[in-house]
């Protein structure tokens, strides 16, 4: 303070109350996270060639990488309405296996320009329709012979009944078997494939309907004779038949519970608390094993050659199916139980 100011205040310094304002140090500044740059979607170009002639049938531009084969089939169907998706077989190689509908385009061994080969599977029909048709036929045909409708046997036997109780028992067992199959088709089975070639219905129906007529003709014939060992043989065959029918049903329920509704999930079947399923420890396809046992029991009960021949032919066909399914299990599941056989424990 200068001299004039000191004099004006009587030589005393005055405090004017000047307050220093503290200056806060700047804190860390929150920065907004930088927006991630969106990855550019790489679209695929898909060309579909005829598996036989190699002729280009369709070209699909800008197909999304996560598109499935099922969706590609739908796109192909739009340009070729005569080939609906169920009729199409899409393959990576002209002679290779069909791709699954759930296969994703970007996960397949193809480049951004993918080439697939198409093969026409022919007219298709649903599995449910096929099963209902081929199982209803034997049920009706057998009853026609059982009631001895006219034009089957001599006119004097029209609408007569057999005097042997095993004939009536055989009719009940045969009817029970095919009614069970019809109910399982409607309420138990879950099919991994919705359709099958239409021509199969004629082949399957010829097999089941033809054998049903052949068996029924002899079992219900007026000159039919009961088994040699009488009631003991009949009861033994009946017990075997009913035991295997229950086992077959138990396996179908166990297989149904492995696949959630509307899915195509495949799992390894294992035994459950149901003792009839314990055969899974030794057999991959015990439903066929029990089916074979049922018809062996029916053969013993009726002692009829056509039934025995039907059992033999059925066993051969079921063995082919069981071996194919067993190979599929081994290929798909690395931890598949090694002790299992396709249809007969330790044998086949």
């Amino acid at each position: 303070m200068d001299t004039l100011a000191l004099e004006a205040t009587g030589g005393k310094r005055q405090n004017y109350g000047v307050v220093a304002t503290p200056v806060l140090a700047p804190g860390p500044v929150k920065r907004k996270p930088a927006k991630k740059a969106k990855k550019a979607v790489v679209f695929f170009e898909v060309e579909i060639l005829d598996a036989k002639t190699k002729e280009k049938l369709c070209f699909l531009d800008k197909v999304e990488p996560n598109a499935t084969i099922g969706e590609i089939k739908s796109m192909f169907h739009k340009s070729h309405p005569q080939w609906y998706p169920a009729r199409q077989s899409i393959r990576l190689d002209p002679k290779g296996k069909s791709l699954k509908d759930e296969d994703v385009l970007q996960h397949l061994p193809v480049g951004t320009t993918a080439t697939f080969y198409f093969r026409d599977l022919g007219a298709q029909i649903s599995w449910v329709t096929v099963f209902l048709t081929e199982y209803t036929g034997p049920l009706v045909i057998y009853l026609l012979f059982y009631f001895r409708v006219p034009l089957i046997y001599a006119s004097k036997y029209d609408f007569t009944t057999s005097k042997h109780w095993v004939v009536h028992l055989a009719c009940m067992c045969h009817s029970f078997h095919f009614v069970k199959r019809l109910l399982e088709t409607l309420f138990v089975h879950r099919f991994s494939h919705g359709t099958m070639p239409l021509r199969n219905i004629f082949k399957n129906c010829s097999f089941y309907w033809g054998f049903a007529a052949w068996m029924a003709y002899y079992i219900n014939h007026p000159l039919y004779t009961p088994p040699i060992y009488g009631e003991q043989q009949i009861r033994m065959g009946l017990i075997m038949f009913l035991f295997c029918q229950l086992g077959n049903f138990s396996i179908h329920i166990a297989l149904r519970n492995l696949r959630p509704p509307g899915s195509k999930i495949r799992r390894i079947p294992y035994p459950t608390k149901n003792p009839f399923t314990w055969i899974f420890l030794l057999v991959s396809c015990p439903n066929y094993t029990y089916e074979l046992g049922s018809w062996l029991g029916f053969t013993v009960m009726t002692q009829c050659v056509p039934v025995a021949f039907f059992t033999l032919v059925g066993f051969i066909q079921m063995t082919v199916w069981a071996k194919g399914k067993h190979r599929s299990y081994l290929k798909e599941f690395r931890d598949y139980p090694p002790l299992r056989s396709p249809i007969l424990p330790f044998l086949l």
Side-chain angles (χ1 to χ4, degrees):
M1 189 177 291
D2 58 7
T3 304
L4 294 176
L6 288 173
E7 290 177 355
T9 58
K12 297 180 180 179
R13 288 183 180 275
Q14 299 292 324
N15 183 8
Y16 288 95
V18 179
V19 180
T21 303
V23 179
L24 297 176
V29 179
K30 293 183 178 181
R31 297 181 179 179
K32 293 183 179 180
K35 293 183 179 180
K36 294 182 179 180
K38 294 184 178 179
K39 293 183 179 180
V41 178
V42 179
F43 291 99
F44 282 64
E45 294 179 343
V46 176
E47 60 177 5
I48 300 177
L49 310 181
D50 187 286
K52 293 181 179 179
T53 65
K54 308 301 185 295
E55 175 188 357
K56 182 182 288 187
L57 300 175
C58 180
F59 180 80
L60 304 174
D61 191 17
K62 293 185 178 180
V63 179
E64 294 187 358
N66 59 349
T68 63
I69 294 298
E71 292 171 340
I72 292 175
K73 286 182 178 180
S74 298
M75 300 176 195
F76 181 57
H77 174 53
K78 291 180 180 179
S79 59
H80 295 81
Q82 72 273 25
W83 294 319
Y84 44 89
R87 187 168 179 163
Q88 301 174 29
S89 170
I90 302 297
R91 312 173 182 198
L92 289 172
D93 185 83
K95 297 182 180 180
K97 294 184 178 180
S98 299
L99 295 171
K100 299 178 182 178
D101 285 352
E102 57 269 23
D103 288 339
V104 180
L105 181 59
Q106 63 182 348
H107 296 159
L108 296 173
V110 295
T112 54
T113 301
T115 301
F116 295 113
Y117 296 90
F118 161 79
R119 187 177 291 274
D120 182 14
L121 297 177
Q124 300 289 300
I125 188 172
S126 72
W127 278 89
V128 173
T129 302
V130 173
F131 281 179
L132 293 179
T133 304
E134 67 185 38
Y135 297 154
T136 301
L139 181 63
V140 174
I141 290 172
Y142 195 99
L143 292 176
L144 294 178
F145 285 88
Y146 174 75
F147 289 111
R148 294 177 178 173
V149 298
L151 304 179
I152 295 180
Y153 304 113
S155 58
K156 64 179 180 179
Y157 297 113
D158 292 349
F159 298 112
T160 59
T161 58
S162 175
K163 61 182 179 180
H164 305 297
W165 69 279
V166 66
V167 173
H168 308 296
L169 184 62
C171 180
M172 288 187 286
C173 289
H174 188 276
S175 300
F176 171 80
H177 173 76
F178 283 99
V179 168
K180 167 183 164 292
R181 281 196 169 188
L182 289 170
L183 293 176
E184 287 176 339
T185 299
L186 293 173
F187 304 110
V188 177
H189 293 321
R190 287 173 178 162
F191 302 99
S192 57
H193 300 286
T195 63
M196 66 187 300
L198 178 61
R199 61 182 178 274
N200 284 6
I201 193 172
F202 301 104
K203 179 179 63 177
N204 293 8
C205 287
S206 298
F207 175 77
Y208 283 105
W209 294 19
F211 268 111
W214 191 23
M215 290 188 294
Y217 177 82
Y218 282 96
I219 296 174
N220 297 286
H221 198 282
L223 300 180
Y224 170 79
T225 55
I228 297 175
Y229 297 101
E231 292 186 6
Q232 184 178 0
Q233 180 177 339
I234 295 170
R235 288 172 180 169
M236 183 177 65
L238 176 62
I239 292 172
M240 186 176 182
F241 175 85
L242 294 177
F243 178 86
C244 290
Q245 284 289 297
L246 185 56
N248 179 266
F249 177 74
S250 300
I251 297 301
H252 286 164
I253 292 295
L255 293 175
R256 176 185 184 273
N257 293 337
L258 287 177
R259 179 175 294 159
S263 71
K264 296 183 179 181
I265 296 175
R266 285 170 56 87
R267 300 191 182 103
I268 300 176
Y270 286 104
T272 65
K273 295 180 181 179
N274 185 342
F276 285 100
T277 65
W278 295 352
I279 193 175
F280 269 125
L281 293 171
L282 301 174
V283 174
S284 293
C285 302
N287 51 321
Y288 296 146
T289 310
Y290 282 123
E291 182 80 6
L292 172 63
S294 293
W295 287 108
L296 283 174
F298 196 75
T299 302
V300 172
M301 182 175 63
T302 59
Q303 194 173 297
C304 184
V305 173
V307 179
F309 193 71
F310 173 74
T311 303
L312 176 62
V313 175
F315 170 62
I316 294 172
Q317 180 60 73
M318 287 187 291
T319 300
V320 174
W321 291 336
K323 285 185 174 181
K325 197 166 186 180
H326 183 73
R327 286 194 299 268
S328 178
Y329 280 141
L330 292 174
K331 184 178 180 180
E332 187 171 357
F333 303 108
R334 294 183 179 179
D335 56 342
Y336 192 73
L339 290 179
R340 294 187 187 180
S341 301
I343 187 170
L344 297 179
F346 308 114
L347 296 176
L348 189 64

